[in-house]
Amino acid sequence: MKYSEISHYYHPQHTLKFDDSEFPFKCDGCKEVGIGSRYRCSICNFDLHMHCAVPCSSINHPFYTKCSLKFLSKPPGDSPRFCNACERYVTGFVYHCRDCEFDLHPCCAKLPMVLDDGEVKLYLNRKESASCLKCGRKGRSWSYRSSCNKYNLHVACVKDMLVENWDQLYPPRSDLDKNTNSTAMTTRRVEHRIPSLKSTLLAPHNKSKGKVKKCAEVAGLAMQVVVSAVLGDPSALVAGFIASLISKAGSSKV
């Protein structure tokens, strides 16, 4: 459920207002990256994913049918913990199963089981035998695979791409606050510096030119949906930044 303004125990000094971000942000709840819908305190530069701002007290997940995952503000115990979906450290908000010791970042816990970009459906898999578009490996973490079996991307690799490109994709706050024109200029700079996924896929290939172009277009749409879902908002198809993030994955496989 979406509210225009909420109060949150983790930031009691100010109310948080609903906002849509065209730039990646760091969630102050789970400490992971997000894009699109969020709750924000502009006074303190405090951000929360939608899933972190309005969590469920407990959830059940199709991959862990015997578990009841409880929402916690911090990971239990003193030892480092990892998210079972993306294999990254859990350092903030988390869904945790006390009996099975499973942990999921809030956004990972709410990843849609099926994504449909209008061209191809992508299905979330716990164990995947197909090679990942970015790393070329199999079975690293949860992954999204297309119904046509051509496109597969690890959730872990999406997180890696965000970390690798963070400095390029996240301009200083002062640049964002000047005016909308500076935002547009920053977007154009990023798009110019990193080639689009479509460009990387339109390399010499045995298929006809028309088929290669179509393959690139479908791959671009599919991967945009996957990256947006991992960032916490499957509806936030911010093409410039998403294409920038996944272009390296496409070029590594051509």
Side-chain angles (χ1 to χ4, degrees):
M1 183 178 295
K2 182 178 76 175
Y3 303 94
S4 60
E5 189 172 310
I6 64 170
S7 297
H8 199 279
Y9 71 91
Y10 209 64
H11 190 74
Q13 56 268 46
H14 303 112
T15 57
L16 307 178
K17 294 183 178 181
F18 178 80
D19 180 50
D20 275 308
S21 172
E22 293 186 353
F23 291 87
F25 61 86
K26 185 76 170 287
C27 176
D28 290 286
C30 67
K31 316 302 181 185
E32 292 292 296
V33 185
I35 204 168
S37 300
R38 62 177 171 177
Y39 279 98
R40 174 169 177 77
C41 173
S42 57
I43 299 173
C44 302
N45 194 23
F46 179 91
D47 300 286
L48 290 178
H49 287 117
M50 293 284 288
H51 297 314
C52 292
V54 190
C56 301
S57 59
S58 65
I59 62 168
N60 298 107
H61 196 279
F63 290 165
Y64 305 120
T65 56
K66 297 181 180 180
C67 296
S68 177
L69 296 140
K70 307 293 184 181
F71 180 81
L72 303 176
S73 297
K74 61 180 181 179
D78 299 322
S79 301
R81 303 193 68 86
F82 297 86
C83 174
N84 286 76
C86 69
E87 298 185 342
R88 286 179 57 81
Y89 282 110
V90 172
T91 57
F93 292 0
V94 62
Y95 282 102
H96 171 74
C97 177
R98 183 179 60 185
D99 296 329
C100 301
E101 291 293 311
F102 290 141
D103 297 286
L104 294 175
H105 291 122
C107 287
C108 291
K110 298 299 183 69
L111 285 171
M113 298 302 293
V114 181
L115 294 170
D116 187 351
D117 69 352
E119 290 280 349
V120 62
K121 289 186 177 181
L122 300 121
Y123 296 88
L124 185 64
N125 293 276
R126 182 181 176 186
K127 296 180 180 180
E128 182 54 65
S129 58
S131 298
C132 172
L133 180 65
K134 181 181 188 295
C135 70
R137 291 187 287 167
K138 302 176 182 179
R140 178 185 176 189
S141 71
W142 293 7
S143 65
Y144 275 104
R145 190 176 186 184
S146 64
S147 52
C148 62
N149 296 328
K150 292 181 180 179
Y151 316 114
N152 185 62
L153 189 64
H154 288 137
V155 170
C157 287
V158 172
K159 294 288 187 76
D160 289 346
M161 285 188 280
L162 292 167
V163 173
E164 292 166 5
N165 292 276
W166 181 255
D167 291 339
Q168 299 179 58
L169 299 179
Y170 191 66
R173 177 55 53 183
S174 58
D175 290 347
L176 298 182
D177 291 340
K178 289 178 182 178
N179 52 53
T180 54
N181 290 332
S182 66
T183 299
M185 290 175 63
T186 302
T187 303
R188 286 197 293 272
R189 286 200 300 270
V190 172
E191 290 176 328
H192 178 73
R193 183 165 55 245
I194 306 176
S196 69
L197 178 64
K198 183 184 294 186
S199 298
T200 64
L201 293 180
L202 290 176
H205 200 280
N206 292 331
K207 294 182 179 180
S208 66
K209 184 177 180 180
K211 289 184 177 180
V212 172
K213 182 177 180 180
K214 183 62 176 178
C215 175
E217 291 174 347
V218 173
L221 288 170
M223 294 305 106
Q224 286 178 31
V225 175
V226 172
V227 176
S228 295
V230 172
L231 287 170
D233 190 350
S235 65
L237 298 182
V238 187
F241 286 104
I242 301 304
S244 299
L245 287 171
I246 60 182
S247 62
K248 292 182 180 180
S251 60
S252 67
K253 298 297 289 181
V254 173

